Amino acid sequence: MPGRLLRGLGRWWRRYRYRFVPWIALNLNHNPRTLRYVPDEFKDKVISDEDALGTLLNVFQALFINDFNKQLEILTVLPEPVQLKYQDLLSVQHPRVKLPQNRRHQRNVFKPEEILYKTLGFSIARATSSLISAGRGVFITKGVVPKGAVVSMYPGTVYQKHEPVFFQSIGNPFIFRCLDGVLIDGNDRGISRVVYRSCTGRDRLGPVKMCDSTWLTAEIQNPLAVGQYVNNCSSDRPANVCYQELDVPAAFPIELRQYLPNIAYSCQGHSPLRCVVLVALRDVRQGEELLSNYYTVVS
């Protein structure tokens, strides 16, 4: 029994030590490849925000069109300018014909990961990490991710610096701290899960969802929303992706917000919605695990 307990504590420590501040301080100089150096908190851009948002829009648009029969109900309650954007598609697919009820709710023609591959040339999935005692990780399952491409997103509830996150943070290894102190809780269990679902219901406008909550389930609607499972690199396994923060513009298409895997904790805030994407630092090929840098040094 004591031996089993000690082995369990050993496994826990190997996973947790990378988040234990004294251990980090003592080991930073011994493992420089696990550091993320940023000149200052406003210069952390590998690619432009326009390019990152453009990639997200391309993927979300493809997901929306792939599931177009289901989206018809949403379009009917959106403003006319939004409906007009899809008028050609409506006339081509359904010329003056009302869809039967059983076709309105038919399954997607393609799975989300297939849409990702068709749009960006690669697909990703969670699986057991190639690192010892690292739990689950994220792998390229098909295709090649070119250098500078958005490869994933970090989902979760977004907290401003003044908002309470103490109880959500207890035993939670999935809280991401942005350079300006904004926090994103990417835990899909416990109180974090409850908070995210509550905020989702609060912000929903009838059938129109303001964010994606399927990353909390096994049936993920946005195939990019697995970034919280990307593991930290090591001295012999350098990072192949890095984090990049961006704010969602107010003009982001309302019909595509259902694919954003983030939501603000407070409904009173006036700050733009913060998102974090993971960008490839080099070409990443099929079978490789995505690895990032957890620790940021701002100089």
Side-chain angles (χ1 to χ4, degrees), residues 204-218:
R204 181 166 178 162
L205 301 174
V208 183
K209 297 178 181 179
M210 291 293 103
C211 70
D212 172 32
S213 61
T214 63
W215 64 273
L216 299 170
T217 72

Side-chain angles (χ1 to χ4, degrees), residues 57 60-61 78 82 85-86 209-210 248-258 260:
L57 286 171
F60 295 176
Q61 189 82 49
L78 292 178
V82 178
K85 289 195 299 183
Y86 301 96
K209 297 178 181 179
M210 291 293 103
V248 178
F252 195 89
I254 188 172
E255 73 276 14
L256 301 183
R257 286 182 173 267
Q258 62 181 293
L260 289 171

Side-chain angles (χ1 to χ4, degrees), residues 17-294:
R17 62 186 178 181
Y18 299 107
R19 302 180 185 274
F20 185 57
V21 174
W23 186 92
I24 295 171
L26 290 172
N27 285 273
L28 284 180
N29 291 333
H30 302 295
N31 200 5
R33 284 189 174 183
T34 65
L35 292 177
R36 171 179 171 229
Y37 290 96
V38 178
D40 63 59
E41 63 181 72
F42 301 106
K43 296 180 181 178
D44 187 31
K45 305 293 183 182
V46 177
I47 60 176
S48 68
D49 285 354
E50 290 75 16
D51 287 343
L53 285 168
T55 297
L56 298 184
L57 286 171
N58 286 340
V59 174
F60 295 176
Q61 189 82 49
L63 291 168
F64 185 87
I65 293 174
N66 180 63
D67 198 20
F68 196 69
N69 289 339
K70 184 179 178 181
Q71 304 299 337
L72 290 175
E73 180 182 1
I74 295 174
L75 283 175
T76 58
V77 300
L78 292 178
E80 185 177 356
V82 178
Q83 297 183 31
L84 289 176
K85 289 195 299 183
Y86 301 96
Q87 192 61 44
D88 291 343
L89 186 60
L90 281 168
S91 61
V92 169
Q93 292 192 354
H94 314 290
R96 301 182 182 180
V97 176
K98 185 177 181 181
L99 283 174
Q101 190 67 23
N102 62 339
R103 287 189 60 196
R104 280 183 180 271
H105 303 283
Q106 68 183 16
R107 297 179 62 84
N108 290 357
V109 177
F110 298 104
K111 295 180 179 179
E113 57 268 27
E114 294 173 328
I115 294 298
L116 181 62
Y117 178 74
K118 289 176 177 294
T119 306
L120 300 184
F122 64 85
S123 57
I124 59 176
R126 291 172 291 181
T128 301
S129 176
S130 58
L131 302 176
I132 298 175
S133 302
R136 285 188 289 179
V138 180
F139 291 80
I140 305 301
T141 56
K142 190 177 180 181
V144 177
V145 181
K147 179 180 178 180
V150 173
V151 66
S152 186
M153 300 183 70
Y154 199 101
T157 307
V158 180
Y159 293 86
Q160 299 300 315
K161 290 182 285 187
H162 63 277
E163 293 175 337
V165 72
F166 174 76
F167 290 106
Q168 297 91 313
S169 68
I170 297 175
N172 184 356
F174 293 106
I175 292 184
F176 180 95
R177 186 185 186 278
C178 296
L179 295 174
D180 60 358
V182 170
L183 301 175
I184 300 180
D185 182 4
N187 197 351
D188 57 7
R189 298 182 181 182
I191 188 172
S192 301
R193 177 190 182 94
V194 173
V195 169
Y196 189 92
R197 285 197 176 277
S198 176
C199 294
T200 300
R202 176 200 67 200
D203 290 358
R204 181 166 178 162
L205 301 174
V208 183
K209 297 178 181 179
M210 291 293 103
C211 70
D212 172 32
S213 61
T214 63
W215 64 273
L216 299 170
T217 72
E219 299 294 330
I220 298 178
Q221 178 177 253
N222 174 3
L224 293 172
V226 294
Q228 77 276 37
Y229 286 102
V230 173
N231 282 307
N232 189 43
C233 61
S234 63
S235 56
D236 60 336
R237 298 277 300 278
N240 50 27
V241 297
C242 68
Y243 301 102
Q244 179 166 320
E245 304 161 18
L246 70 153
D247 292 329
V248 178
F252 195 89
I254 188 172
E255 73 276 14
L256 301 183
R257 286 182 173 267
Q258 62 181 293
Y259 302 108
L260 289 171
N262 300 96
I263 195 167
Y265 173 75
S266 174
C267 61
Q268 304 298 327
H270 301 288
S271 302
L273 178 67
R274 177 65 53 81
C275 284
V276 173
V277 297
L278 283 81
V279 181
L281 293 171
R282 61 168 175 82
D283 291 354
V284 188
R285 303 189 178 279
Q286 181 175 329
E288 288 192 70
E289 181 174 1
L290 300 182
L291 298 172
S292 63
N293 286 336
Y294 281 0

